[in-house]
């Protein structure tokens, strides 16, 4: 996304005493809050979260906690309006100056209006875009650094912004992050063993980098389907016998060796946070014909493919694949996908991955065309 790198910094950014004369806005003076953040109580959740993030990060930088109000308080103190709902509170002139009709996709606008009282307005085309505007302002104007393994925040007792008048539109409408759930590594970079709070920190980083879609692989590689598998196949639940071996190579992934209910609870909280708090879109990545070995044990007479090698790095232990030519494959796959959607909620986008597993037929015939069958099933 284009950043608001072209914001003009006036002399007010260099001298607090010159703020009122240079037409800037003074947020904090000497560690004391000078401005008030405005966001209506009925604003969308991502806009209310954007206001809370602005408050929290400014407090970490300066030690001053700006108040958040549903309406502009009386007086002549500076105001920061966050989101479209708040922008309407700023008045028709400021709202028109934002040029929201010129924004597309996740575009956002920032406008500093110096009238009776200084007012900074940060609003986007979508609720999550206002969150992007807040993070961009913090990064560009206050030199906050947002990294995948943590934030780097400066320490300042005075926070003053110069004249701000800019709009930004994304270069790419789709900015998806696929979170791997099938590999081990340093915890801060791999979601395999994350708890809900680890997920939330990563999702906030996605918003800080202006990513707009989270992709979750519901495949045998990670078993993120969790308890949804037991919901789809209660006949297989009793067949599951999984432990983490200590005397051999560990091929277990997120959902192997962990209680399915645990996997589901953590991931469901993360997905709900992405959707409802941050306003991110969610994509589900499916693989046609992949199941848990417990289902093979419950239905041994189906056309199961050769077992995955124990050292195969891209699949959880005890997973298996069913031939797409088996008449039962489409029905079983539909049961699993339906249970996943019922468990985690509908997605904005569904993607079917039909990567051939080890020992698969090199040139499958029409009956083995999993891609076509997957699309029809979905």
């Amino acid at each position: 996304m284009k950043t608001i790198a072209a914001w003009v910094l006036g002399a007010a950014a260099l001298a607090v005493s010159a703020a009122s004369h240079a037409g800037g806005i003074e947020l904090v003076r000497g560690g004391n809050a000078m401005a008030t953040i405005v966001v209506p109580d009925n604003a969308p959740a991502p806009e209310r979260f954007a206001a809370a993030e602005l408050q929290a990060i400014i407090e970490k930088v300066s030690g001053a906690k700006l108040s958040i109000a549903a309406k502009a308080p009386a007086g002549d103190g500076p105001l920061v309006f966050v989101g479209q709902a708040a922008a309407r509170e700023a008045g028709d002139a400021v709202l028109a100056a934002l040029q929201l009709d010129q924004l597309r996709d996740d575009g956002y606008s920032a406008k500093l209006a110096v009238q009776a009282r200084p007012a900074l307005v940060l609003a986007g085309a979508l609720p999550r875009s206002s969150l992007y505007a807040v993070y961009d302002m913090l990064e560009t104007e206050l030199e906050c650094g947002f990294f995948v393994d943590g934030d780097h925040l400066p320490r300042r007792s005075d926070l003053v912004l110069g004249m701000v008048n800019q709009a930004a539109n994304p270069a790419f409408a789709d900015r998806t992050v696929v979170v791997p759930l099938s590999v081990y590594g340093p915890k801060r970079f791999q979601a395999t063993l994350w708890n809900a709070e680890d997920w939330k920190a990563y999702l906030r980083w996605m918003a800080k980098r202006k990513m707009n879609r989270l992709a979750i692989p519901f495949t045998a590689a990670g078993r993120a389907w969790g308890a949804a598998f037991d919901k789809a196949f209660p006949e297989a639940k009793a067949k599951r016998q999984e432990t983490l071996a200590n005397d051999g190579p560990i091929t277990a992934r997120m959902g192997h060796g962990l209680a399915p209910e645990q996997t589901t609870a953590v991931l469901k909280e993360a997905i709900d946070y992405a959707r409802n708090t941050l306003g991110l879109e969610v994509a589900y990545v499916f693989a046609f014909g992949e199941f848990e070995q417990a289902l093979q044990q419950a239905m041994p007479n189906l056309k199961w493919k050769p077992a995955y090698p124990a050292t195969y790095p891209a699949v959880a232990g005890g997973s298996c694949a069913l031939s797409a030519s088996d008449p039962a494959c489409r029905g079983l796959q539909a049961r699993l996908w339906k249970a996943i959607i019922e468990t985690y909620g509908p997605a904005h986008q569904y993607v079917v991955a039909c990567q051939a597993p080890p020992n698969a037929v090199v040139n499958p015939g029409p009956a083995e065309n999993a891609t076509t069958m997957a699309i029809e099933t979905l």
Side-chain angles (χ1 to χ4, degrees), residues 331-347:
L332 294 175
Q333 192 65 83
R335 283 168 62 180
L336 178 56
W337 290 350
K338 182 175 184 291
I340 291 172
I341 294 170
E342 289 176 346
T343 299
Y344 296 98

Side-chain angles (χ1 to χ4, degrees), residues 85-145:
R88 289 187 283 271
E89 290 282 325
D92 293 340
V94 174
L95 188 62
L98 285 174
Q99 297 181 306
L100 297 178
D101 59 331
Q102 300 298 313
L103 303 179
R104 56 178 173 77
D105 301 319
D106 285 313
Y108 53 84
S109 181
K111 174 72 176 180
L112 178 61
V114 182
Q115 301 173 353
R117 57 199 298 191
L120 173 65
V121 186
L122 303 168
L126 298 173
R128 65 172 174 257
S129 312
S130 298
L131 181 57
Y132 299 156
V134 165
Y135 286 138
D136 201 326
M137 185 276 293
L138 291 168
E139 185 174 24
T140 305
E141 295 292 333
L142 303 184
E143 299 180 340
C144 296

Side-chain angles (χ1 to χ4, degrees), residues 150-176:
D151 297 340
H152 175 76
L153 305 179
R155 292 290 298 173
R156 299 180 184 175
S157 58
D158 299 322
L159 298 181
V160 181
L161 305 181
M163 290 302 297
V164 179
N165 183 11
Q166 190 58 255
N169 284 313
F172 301 96
D174 184 349
R175 302 178 305 283
T176 300

Side-chain angles (χ1 to χ4, degrees), residues 26-36 58 62-67 78:
E26 188 176 17
L27 303 179
V28 177
R29 179 196 299 168
N32 297 311
M34 303 300 293
T36 299
I58 284 180
S62 67
K65 185 174 184 178
L66 275 59
S67 298

